[in-house]
Coordinates of all heavy atoms in Angstrom, one line a residue:
M266 N 12.3 17.4 -27.7 CA 11.7 18.3 -26.7 C 12.6 18.4 -25.5 O 13.0 17.4 -24.9 CB 10.3 17.7 -26.3 CG 9.3 18.7 -26.0 SD 7.7 18.0 -25.9 CE 7.2 18.4 -24.3
P267 N 12.9 19.7 -25.1 CA 13.7 19.9 -23.9 C 13.1 19.3 -22.6 O 11.8 19.3 -22.5 CB 13.9 21.3 -23.8 CG 12.8 22.0 -24.6 CD 12.4 21.0 -25.6
K268 N 13.9 18.9 -21.7 CA 13.5 18.3 -20.5 C 12.9 19.4 -19.6 O 13.5 20.5 -19.5 CB 14.6 17.5 -19.7 CG 14.1 16.8 -18.6 CD 15.3 15.9 -18.0 CE 14.8 15.2 -16.8 NZ 15.9 14.7 -16.0
K269 N 11.8 19.1 -18.9 CA 11.1 20.1 -18.1 C 11.9 20.3 -16.7 O 12.3 19.2 -16.1 CB 9.7 19.7 -17.8 CG 8.9 20.8 -17.0 CD 7.4 20.3 -16.9 CE 6.6 21.2 -16.1 NZ 6.9 21.1 -14.7
I270 N 12.2 21.5 -16.3 CA 12.9 21.7 -15.1 C 11.9 21.9 -13.9 O 11.1 22.8 -14.1 CB 13.9 22.9 -15.2 CG1 14.9 22.6 -16.3 CG2 14.5 23.1 -13.8 CD1 15.8 23.8 -16.6
P271 N 11.9 21.1 -12.9 CA 10.9 21.3 -11.8 C 11.2 22.6 -11.1 O 12.4 22.8 -10.7 CB 11.1 20.1 -10.9 CG 12.3 19.5 -11.3 CD 12.7 19.9 -12.7
M272 N 10.2 23.5 -10.9 CA 10.4 24.7 -10.2 C 9.7 24.7 -8.9 O 8.7 24.0 -8.7 CB 9.8 25.8 -11.0 CG 10.4 26.0 -12.5 SD 12.0 26.6 -12.5 CE 11.8 28.3 -12.2
R273 N 10.3 25.4 -7.9 CA 9.7 25.4 -6.5 C 9.8 26.9 -6.1 O 10.7 27.6 -6.5 CB 10.4 24.6 -5.5 CG 10.3 23.0 -5.9 CD 8.9 22.5 -5.7 NE 8.8 21.1 -5.9 CZ 8.5 20.5 -7.1 NH1 8.3 21.3 -8.1 NH2 8.4 19.3 -7.2
Q274 N 9.0 27.3 -5.1 CA 9.0 28.6 -4.6 C 9.7 28.7 -3.3 O 9.3 27.9 -2.4 CB 7.5 29.2 -4.5 CG 7.5 30.6 -4.1 CD 6.0 31.1 -4.1 OE1 5.1 30.5 -3.5 NE2 5.8 32.3 -4.7
C275 N 10.6 29.6 -3.1 CA 11.3 29.8 -1.9 C 10.3 30.5 -0.9 O 9.6 31.4 -1.3 CB 12.5 30.7 -2.1 SG 13.2 31.2 -0.5
V276 N 10.2 29.9 0.4 CA 9.3 30.5 1.3 C 9.8 31.9 1.9 O 9.0 32.6 2.5 CB 9.0 29.5 2.5 CG1 8.2 28.3 2.0 CG2 10.2 29.1 3.2
G277 N 11.1 32.1 1.7 CA 11.6 33.4 2.2 C 11.4 34.5 1.2 O 10.7 35.4 1.6
C278 N 12.0 34.4 0.0 CA 12.0 35.5 -1.0 C 10.8 35.4 -1.9 O 10.5 36.2 -2.7 CB 13.2 35.6 -1.7 SG 13.6 34.1 -2.7
R279 N 10.0 34.2 -1.9 CA 8.8 34.0 -2.7 C 9.1 33.9 -4.2 O 8.3 34.1 -5.0 CB 7.8 35.0 -2.4 CG 7.4 35.3 -1.0 CD 6.5 34.3 -0.3 NE 5.2 34.3 -0.9 CZ 4.4 33.2 -1.0 NH1 4.7 32.2 -0.4 NH2 3.2 33.3 -1.5
E280 N 10.4 33.7 -4.6 CA 10.8 33.5 -5.9 C 10.7 32.1 -6.4 O 11.1 31.2 -5.7 CB 12.2 34.1 -6.2 CG 12.4 35.5 -6.2 CD 13.8 36.0 -6.4 OE1 14.5 35.3 -7.2 OE2 14.2 37.0 -5.8
M281 N 10.3 31.9 -7.7 CA 10.3 30.6 -8.3 C 11.7 30.3 -8.8 O 12.2 31.1 -9.6 CB 9.3 30.5 -9.4 CG 7.9 30.6 -9.0 SD 7.3 29.3 -7.9 CE 7.1 27.9 -9.1
K282 N 12.3 29.2 -8.4 CA 13.6 28.8 -8.8 C 13.6 27.4 -9.1 O 12.8 26.6 -8.6 CB 14.7 29.1 -7.7 CG 14.7 30.6 -7.4 CD 15.8 30.9 -6.4 CE 15.9 32.4 -6.2 NZ 17.0 32.8 -5.4
P283 N 14.7 26.8 -9.9 CA 14.8 25.4 -10.1 C 15.0 24.7 -8.8 O 15.6 25.2 -7.9 CB 16.0 25.3 -11.0 CG 16.2 26.6 -11.7 CD 15.6 27.7 -10.7
K284 N 14.3 23.5 -8.7 CA 14.3 22.7 -7.4 C 15.7 22.4 -7.0 O 16.0 22.4 -5.8 CB 13.6 21.5 -7.7 CG 13.3 20.6 -6.5 CD 12.5 19.4 -6.9 CE 12.5 18.3 -5.8 NZ 11.7 17.2 -6.2
K285 N 16.7 22.2 -7.9 CA 18.0 21.9 -7.5 C 18.8 23.0 -6.8 O 19.7 22.7 -6.1 CB 18.8 21.5 -8.8 CG 18.4 20.1 -9.3 CD 19.4 19.7 -10.4 CE 19.2 18.4 -11.1 NZ 19.1 17.2 -10.2
E286 N 18.3 24.2 -7.0 CA 19.0 25.4 -6.4 C 18.5 25.7 -5.0 O 19.1 26.5 -4.3 CB 18.7 26.7 -7.3 CG 19.5 26.7 -8.6 CD 19.2 28.0 -9.4 OE1 18.7 29.0 -8.9 OE2 19.5 27.9 -10.6
L287 N 17.4 25.0 -4.6 CA 16.9 25.3 -3.3 C 17.1 24.2 -2.3 O 17.5 23.1 -2.7 CB 15.3 25.5 -3.4 CG 14.9 26.6 -4.3 CD1 13.4 26.6 -4.6 CD2 15.3 27.9 -3.8
I288 N 17.0 24.5 -1.1 CA 17.2 23.5 0.0 C 15.8 23.1 0.5 O 15.0 24.1 0.8 CB 18.0 24.0 1.2 CG1 19.5 24.3 0.7 CG2 18.1 23.0 2.3 CD1 20.3 25.0 1.6
R289 N 15.5 21.9 0.6 CA 14.2 21.4 1.1 C 14.2 21.3 2.7 O 15.2 20.7 3.3 CB 13.8 20.0 0.6 CG 12.5 19.5 0.9 CD 12.2 18.3 0.2 NE 10.9 17.8 0.5 CZ 10.7 16.6 1.1 NH1 11.7 15.8 1.5 NH2 9.5 16.2 1.4
V290 N 13.2 22.0 3.3 CA 13.1 21.9 4.8 C 12.0 20.9 4.9 O 10.9 21.1 4.3 CB 12.7 23.2 5.4 CG1 12.7 23.1 6.9 CG2 13.9 24.3 5.1
V291 N 12.1 19.9 5.7 CA 11.1 18.8 5.8 C 10.7 18.6 7.2 O 11.5 18.6 8.2 CB 11.7 17.5 5.2 CG1 12.8 16.9 5.9 CG2 10.6 16.5 5.0
R292 N 9.4 18.4 7.4 CA 8.8 18.0 8.7 C 8.4 16.5 8.5 O 7.5 16.1 7.8 CB 7.6 18.8 9.1 CG 7.0 18.4 10.4 CD 5.9 19.3 10.8 NE 4.8 19.1 9.8 CZ 3.6 18.5 10.2 NH1 3.4 18.0 11.3 NH2 2.7 18.3 9.3
S293 N 9.1 15.7 9.3 CA 8.9 14.2 9.2 C 7.5 13.9 9.8 O 6.9 14.7 10.5 CB 10.0 13.5 9.9 OG 9.8 13.7 11.3
P294 N 7.0 12.7 9.5 CA 5.7 12.3 10.0 C 5.7 12.3 11.6 O 4.7 12.5 12.2 CB 5.5 10.8 9.5 CG 6.3 10.8 8.3 CD 7.5 11.7 8.5
E295 N 6.9 12.1 12.1 CA 7.1 12.2 13.6 C 7.0 13.7 14.2 O 6.9 13.9 15.4 CB 8.3 11.5 14.1 CG 8.4 10.0 13.8 CD 8.8 9.7 12.4 OE1 9.7 10.4 11.8 OE2 8.2 8.8 11.8
G296 N 7.2 14.6 13.2 CA 7.1 16.0 13.7 C 8.5 16.7 13.7 O 8.6 17.9 14.1
A297 N 9.6 15.9 13.5 CA 11.0 16.5 13.5 C 11.2 17.4 12.2 O 10.9 17.0 11.1 CB 12.0 15.5 13.7
V298 N 11.8 18.6 12.4 CA 12.1 19.4 11.3 C 13.6 19.5 11.0 O 14.3 19.6 11.9 CB 11.5 20.9 11.5 CG1 12.0 21.8 10.4 CG2 10.1 20.9 11.8
S299 N 14.0 19.2 9.7 CA 15.4 19.3 9.4 C 15.6 19.7 8.0 O 14.6 19.8 7.2 CB 16.0 17.9 9.6 OG 15.4 17.0 8.8
L300 N 16.8 20.0 7.6 CA 17.1 20.3 6.2 C 17.3 19.0 5.4 O 18.0 18.1 5.9 CB 18.4 21.2 6.1 CG 18.3 22.6 6.7 CD1 19.6 23.3 6.4 CD2 17.1 23.3 6.1
D301 N 16.9 18.9 4.2 CA 16.9 17.7 3.4 C 17.6 18.1 2.1 O 17.1 18.6 1.2 CB 15.5 17.2 3.1 CG 15.5 16.0 2.1 OD1 16.6 15.4 1.9 OD2 14.4 15.7 1.6
F302 N 19.0 17.8 2.1 CA 19.8 18.2 0.9 C 19.6 17.4 -0.3 O 19.7 17.8 -1.5 CB 21.3 18.2 1.3 CG 21.6 19.2 2.4 CD1 21.9 18.8 3.6 CD2 21.6 20.6 2.1 CE1 22.2 19.7 4.6 CE2 21.9 21.5 3.0 CZ 22.2 21.0 4.3
K303 N 19.1 16.1 -0.2 CA 18.9 15.2 -1.3 C 17.5 15.3 -1.8 O 17.2 14.9 -2.9 CB 19.2 13.8 -0.9 CG 20.6 13.6 -0.4 CD 21.5 13.2 -1.6 CE 22.9 12.8 -1.1 NZ 23.9 13.7 -1.5
G304 N 16.6 15.8 -1.0 CA 15.2 15.9 -1.5 C 14.4 14.6 -1.4 O 13.4 14.5 -2.1
K305 N 14.9 13.7 -0.6 CA 14.3 12.3 -0.6 C 13.6 11.9 0.7 O 13.0 10.9 0.8 CB 15.3 11.3 -0.9 CG 16.1 11.5 -2.2 CD 15.2 11.1 -3.4 CE 16.0 11.2 -4.7 NZ 15.2 11.4 -5.9
L306 N 13.8 12.7 1.7 CA 13.3 12.3 3.1 C 11.7 12.4 3.0 O 11.1 13.2 2.3 CB 13.7 13.3 4.1 CG 15.2 13.2 4.5 CD1 15.6 14.3 5.5 CD2 15.6 11.9 5.0
P307 N 11.1 11.5 3.8 CA 9.6 11.5 3.8 C 9.1 12.6 4.7 O 9.7 13.0 5.6 CB 9.3 10.1 4.4 CG 10.5 9.8 5.2 CD 11.7 10.4 4.5
G308 N 8.0 13.0 4.3 CA 7.3 14.2 5.0 C 6.9 15.4 4.3 O 7.1 15.4 3.0
R309 N 6.4 16.4 5.0 CA 6.0 17.6 4.3 C 7.2 18.5 4.0 O 8.0 18.7 4.9 CB 5.0 18.3 5.2 CG 4.5 19.6 4.8 CD 3.3 19.5 3.8 NE 2.8 20.8 3.6 CZ 2.5 21.2 2.4 NH1 2.6 20.5 1.3 NH2 2.0 22.4 2.2
G310 N 7.3 19.0 2.9 CA 8.5 19.8 2.5 C 8.1 21.2 2.1 O 7.1 21.5 1.6
A311 N 9.1 22.1 2.4 CA 9.0 23.5 1.9 C 10.4 23.8 1.5 O 11.4 23.3 1.9 CB 8.6 24.4 3.1
Y312 N 10.5 24.8 0.6 CA 11.8 25.0 0.0 C 12.3 26.4 0.4 O 11.5 27.4 0.4 CB 11.7 24.9 -1.5 CG 11.5 23.5 -1.9 CD1 10.2 23.0 -2.0 CD2 12.6 22.7 -2.3 CE1 10.0 21.7 -2.3 CE2 12.4 21.4 -2.6 CZ 11.1 20.8 -2.7 OH 10.9 19.5 -3.1
V313 N 13.6 26.6 0.5 CA 14.2 27.9 0.9 C 15.5 28.0 0.2 O 16.3 27.0 -0.1 CB 14.4 28.0 2.5 CG1 15.4 27.1 3.0 CG2 14.8 29.5 2.8
C314 N 15.9 29.2 -0.2 CA 17.2 29.5 -0.9 C 18.3 29.1 0.1 O 18.2 29.3 1.3 CB 17.3 30.9 -1.3 SG 16.1 31.5 -2.5
P315 N 19.5 28.8 -0.5 CA 20.7 28.5 0.4 C 21.3 29.8 0.9 O 22.5 30.0 0.7 CB 21.6 27.6 -0.5 CG 21.2 28.1 -1.9 CD 19.8 28.4 -1.8
D316 N 20.5 30.6 1.5 CA 21.0 32.0 1.9 C 20.4 32.2 3.3 O 19.1 32.2 3.5 CB 20.4 33.0 0.8 CG 20.7 34.4 1.2 OD1 21.5 34.6 2.1 OD2 20.2 35.3 0.6
P317 N 21.2 32.5 4.3 CA 20.7 32.8 5.6 C 19.7 33.9 5.7 O 18.8 34.0 6.5 CB 22.0 33.1 6.4 CG 23.1 32.5 5.7 CD 22.7 32.5 4.2
A318 N 19.8 34.9 4.7 CA 18.9 36.0 4.7 C 17.4 35.5 4.3 O 16.4 36.0 4.9 CB 19.3 37.1 3.8
C319 N 17.4 34.5 3.5 CA 16.0 34.0 3.1 C 15.4 33.2 4.2 O 14.2 33.2 4.5 CB 16.1 33.1 1.8 SG 15.9 33.9 0.3
L320 N 16.3 32.4 5.0 CA 15.8 31.7 6.2 C 15.3 32.7 7.2 O 14.2 32.5 7.8 CB 16.9 30.9 6.8 CG 16.4 29.9 7.8 CD1 15.5 28.9 7.3 CD2 17.7 29.2 8.4
A321 N 16.0 33.8 7.4 CA 15.6 34.9 8.4 C 14.3 35.5 7.9 O 13.4 35.7 8.8 CB 16.7 35.9 8.5
R322 N 14.1 35.7 6.6 CA 12.8 36.3 6.1 C 11.7 35.4 6.3 O 10.6 35.7 6.7 CB 13.0 36.6 4.6 CG 12.2 37.8 4.2 CD 12.4 38.2 2.8 NE 13.7 38.7 2.6 CZ 14.5 38.4 1.5 NH1 14.1 37.6 0.5 NH2 15.7 38.9 1.4
A323 N 12.0 34.0 6.1 CA 10.9 33.0 6.3 C 10.5 32.9 7.8 O 9.4 32.7 8.1 CB 11.4 31.6 5.8
R324 N 11.6 33.1 8.7 CA 11.3 33.0 10.1 C 10.4 34.3 10.5 O 9.4 34.1 11.3 CB 12.6 33.1 10.8 CG 12.4 33.0 12.4 CD 13.7 32.9 13.1 NE 13.5 32.6 14.5 CZ 14.4 32.3 15.3 NH1 15.7 32.3 15.0 NH2 14.2 32.1 16.6
K325 N 10.7 35.4 10.0 CA 10.0 36.7 10.4 C 8.6 36.6 9.9 O 7.7 37.0 10.6 CB 10.7 37.9 9.7 CG 10.1 39.1 10.2 CD 10.9 40.4 9.6 CE 10.3 41.7 10.1 NZ 10.7 42.8 9.3
S326 N 8.3 36.0 8.7 CA 7.0 36.0 8.2 C 6.2 34.7 8.6 O 5.1 34.5 8.1 CB 7.0 36.0 6.6 OG 7.7 34.9 6.1
K327 N 6.9 33.9 9.4 CA 6.3 32.6 9.8 C 5.9 31.7 8.7 O 4.9 31.0 8.7 CB 5.1 32.8 10.8 CG 5.5 33.6 12.0 CD 4.3 33.5 13.1 CE 4.5 34.3 14.3 NZ 5.8 34.3 14.9
A328 N 6.7 31.8 7.6 CA 6.3 31.0 6.4 C 6.4 29.5 6.6 O 5.6 28.8 6.1 CB 7.2 31.4 5.2
L329 N 7.4 29.0 7.3 CA 7.6 27.6 7.6 C 6.5 27.1 8.5 O 6.0 26.0 8.3 CB 8.9 27.3 8.2 CG 10.1 27.3 7.1 CD1 11.4 27.1 7.8 CD2 9.9 26.3 6.1
E330 N 6.1 27.9 9.5 CA 5.0 27.5 10.3 C 3.6 27.3 9.5 O 2.9 26.3 9.7 CB 4.7 28.6 11.4 CG 5.6 28.5 12.7 CD 6.7 29.4 12.5 OE1 7.2 29.9 11.4 OE2 7.3 29.7 13.6
R331 N 3.4 28.2 8.6 CA 2.2 28.1 7.6 C 2.4 26.8 6.8 O 1.4 26.1 6.6 CB 2.1 29.3 6.9 CG 1.4 30.5 7.5 CD 0.9 31.5 6.6 NE 1.8 32.0 5.7 CZ 2.7 33.0 5.9 NH1 2.8 33.5 7.1 NH2 3.6 33.3 5.0
A332 N 3.6 26.6 6.3 CA 3.8 25.5 5.4 C 3.6 24.2 6.1 O 3.0 23.2 5.5 CB 5.2 25.5 4.8
F333 N 3.9 24.1 7.3 CA 3.9 22.8 8.1 C 2.7 22.8 9.0 O 2.4 21.8 9.7 CB 5.1 22.6 8.9 CG 6.4 22.5 8.1 CD1 7.6 23.0 8.6 CD2 6.4 21.8 6.9 CE1 8.8 22.9 7.9 CE2 7.6 21.7 6.2 CZ 8.7 22.2 6.6
S334 N 1.9 23.8 9.1 CA 0.7 23.9 9.9 C 1.0 23.5 11.4 O 0.3 22.9 12.0 CB -0.4 23.0 9.4 OG -0.7 23.3 8.0
A335 N 2.2 24.0 11.8 CA 2.7 23.7 13.1 C 3.6 24.8 13.6 O 4.4 25.3 12.8 CB 3.3 22.3 13.2
A336 N 3.6 25.1 14.9 CA 4.6 26.1 15.5 C 5.9 25.5 15.5 O 6.1 24.3 15.8 CB 4.1 26.6 16.8
L337 N 7.0 26.2 15.2 CA 8.3 25.7 15.2 C 9.0 26.3 16.5 O 9.1 27.5 16.7 CB 9.1 26.1 14.0 CG 8.7 25.5 12.7 CD1 9.6 25.9 11.5 CD2 8.6 24.0 12.8
P338 N 9.5 25.5 17.4 CA 10.2 26.0 18.6 C 11.5 26.7 18.2 O 12.1 26.4 17.2 CB 10.5 24.8 19.5 CG 10.3 23.6 18.6 CD 9.4 24.0 17.5
P339 N 12.0 27.6 19.1 CA 13.2 28.4 18.8 C 14.4 27.5 18.5 O 15.3 27.8 17.6 CB 13.5 29.2 20.0 CG 12.1 29.3 20.7 CD 11.4 28.0 20.3
E340 N 14.6 26.3 19.2 CA 15.7 25.5 18.9 C 15.7 24.9 17.5 O 16.7 24.6 17.0 CB 15.8 24.4 20.0 CG 14.6 23.5 20.2 CD 13.6 24.0 21.2 OE1 13.7 25.2 21.7 OE2 12.7 23.1 21.6
V341 N 14.5 24.7 17.0 CA 14.5 24.2 15.6 C 15.1 25.3 14.6 O 15.8 24.9 13.8 CB 13.0 23.9 15.2 CG1 12.9 23.6 13.7 CG2 12.6 22.6 15.9
W342 N 14.7 26.5 14.9 CA 15.2 27.6 14.0 C 16.8 27.7 14.1 O 17.5 27.9 13.2 CB 14.6 29.0 14.3 CG 13.3 29.1 13.9 CD1 12.1 29.0 14.6 CD2 12.9 29.3 12.5 NE1 11.0 29.2 13.8 CE2 11.4 29.4 12.5 CE3 13.6 29.4 11.3 CZ2 10.7 29.5 11.3 CZ3 12.8 29.6 10.2 CH2 11.4 29.7 10.2
T343 N 17.3 27.5 15.4 CA 18.7 27.6 15.6 C 19.4 26.4 14.9 O 20.5 26.6 14.3 CB 19.0 27.5 17.2 OG1 18.2 28.5 17.8 CG2 20.4 27.7 17.5
A344 N 18.8 25.2 14.9 CA 19.4 24.1 14.3 C 19.4 24.3 12.8 O 20.4 24.0 12.0 CB 18.6 22.8 14.7
L345 N 18.3 24.9 12.2 CA 18.3 25.1 10.8 C 19.3 26.2 10.4 O 20.0 26.0 9.4 CB 16.9 25.7 10.4 CG 15.7 24.7 10.4 CD1 14.4 25.4 10.1 CD2 16.0 23.5 9.5
E346 N 19.5 27.2 11.2 CA 20.6 28.2 10.9 C 22.0 27.6 10.9 O 22.8 27.9 10.1 CB 20.4 29.4 11.9 CG 19.3 30.2 11.6 CD 18.9 31.1 12.7 OE1 19.6 31.1 13.8 OE2 17.9 31.9 12.6
E347 N 22.2 26.7 11.9 CA 23.5 25.9 12.0 C 23.7 25.1 10.7 O 24.7 25.1 10.2 CB 23.6 25.1 13.2 CG 23.7 25.9 14.5 CD 25.0 26.8 14.5 OE1 26.1 26.3 14.1 OE2 24.8 28.0 14.8
Q348 N 22.6 24.3 10.3 CA 22.7 23.5 9.1 C 22.9 24.3 7.9 O 23.7 23.9 7.0 CB 21.4 22.6 9.0 CG 21.3 21.5 10.0 CD 20.1 20.7 9.8 OE1 19.0 21.2 10.0 NE2 20.2 19.4 9.3
M349 N 22.3 25.5 7.9 CA 22.5 26.4 6.7 C 23.9 26.8 6.5 O 24.4 26.9 5.4 CB 21.5 27.6 6.9 CG 21.5 28.5 5.7 SD 20.6 27.8 4.3 CE 18.9 28.1 4.8
K350 N 24.6 27.0 7.6 CA 26.1 27.4 7.5 C 26.9 26.3 7.0 O 28.0 26.6 6.5 CB 26.6 27.8 9.0 CG 26.0 29.1 9.5 CD 26.5 29.4 10.9 CE 25.7 30.5 11.5 NZ 25.8 30.6 12.9
E351 N 26.4 25.1 7.1 CA 27.3 23.9 6.7 C 26.8 23.4 5.3 O 27.1 22.3 4.9 CB 27.1 22.8 7.6 CG 27.7 23.1 9.0 CD 27.1 22.2 10.1 OE1 26.6 21.2 9.8 OE2 27.2 22.6 11.3
V352 N 26.0 24.3 4.5 CA 25.5 23.9 3.2 C 26.7 23.6 2.3 O 27.6 24.4 2.2 CB 24.6 25.0 2.7 CG1 24.3 24.7 1.2 CG2 23.4 25.2 3.5
P353 N 26.6 22.5 1.6 CA 27.7 22.2 0.7 C 27.6 23.1 -0.5 O 26.5 23.5 -0.9 CB 27.5 20.7 0.2 CG 26.1 20.4 0.7 CD 25.7 21.3 1.8
A354 N 28.8 23.6 -1.1 CA 28.8 24.6 -2.1 C 28.1 24.1 -3.4 O 27.5 24.9 -4.1 CB 30.3 24.9 -2.4
D355 N 28.1 22.8 -3.7 CA 27.5 22.2 -4.9 C 26.0 21.9 -4.7 O 25.4 21.4 -5.6 CB 28.3 21.0 -5.4 CG 28.3 19.9 -4.4 OD1 27.8 20.1 -3.3 OD2 28.8 18.8 -4.7
G356 N 25.5 22.2 -3.5 CA 24.0 22.0 -3.3 C 23.9 20.7 -2.8 O 23.1 19.9 -2.6

């Protein structure tokens, strides 16, 4: 039997993609929001494509705010955009 591939939905483009292709945005129990490249950090996670356009779409639609049930300050978005530019090519 083939191994099941875990699928997640990007909050920007709303497409279902394999979990390994997406970047996890995590809100820690303390409330800090960051990118989680390994997918192991504790806290509430949402997934976004490794594409700045998807992050921009998620920001416009307030998708991450809905996912985390909390407002995200502008400096958090700026930090996420900076981290997105430094995304490793291999995921």
Side-chain angles (χ1 to χ4, degrees):
M266 213 166 124
K268 190 174 178 194
K269 185 173 176 283
I270 299 171
M272 302 291 278
R273 298 291 183 268
Q274 187 176 46
C275 171
V276 294
C278 62
R279 313 279 295 153
E280 284 183 34
M281 293 296 285
K282 297 188 176 182
K284 187 177 168 183
K285 286 189 184 302
E286 289 179 17
L287 300 172
I288 298 171
R289 184 172 181 247
V290 183
V291 65
R292 182 178 63 108
S293 69
E295 295 79 41
V298 176
S299 63
L300 294 182
D301 177 14
F302 296 106
K303 301 271 187 248
K305 302 285 186 204
L306 291 177
R309 175 84 172 137
Y312 293 83
V313 67
C314 296
D316 178 11
C319 268
L320 189 64
R322 208 175 297 138
R324 182 177 188 171
K325 186 177 181 193
S326 66
K327 298 194 184 318
L329 287 175
E330 278 97 337
R331 280 198 306 277
F333 297 143
S334 302
L337 295 182
E340 57 269 17
V341 169
W342 285 107
T343 308
L345 289 177
E346 287 162 3
E347 287 302 312
Q348 283 180 295
M349 186 71 80
K350 289 175 190 164
E351 298 160 16
V352 172
D355 61 355

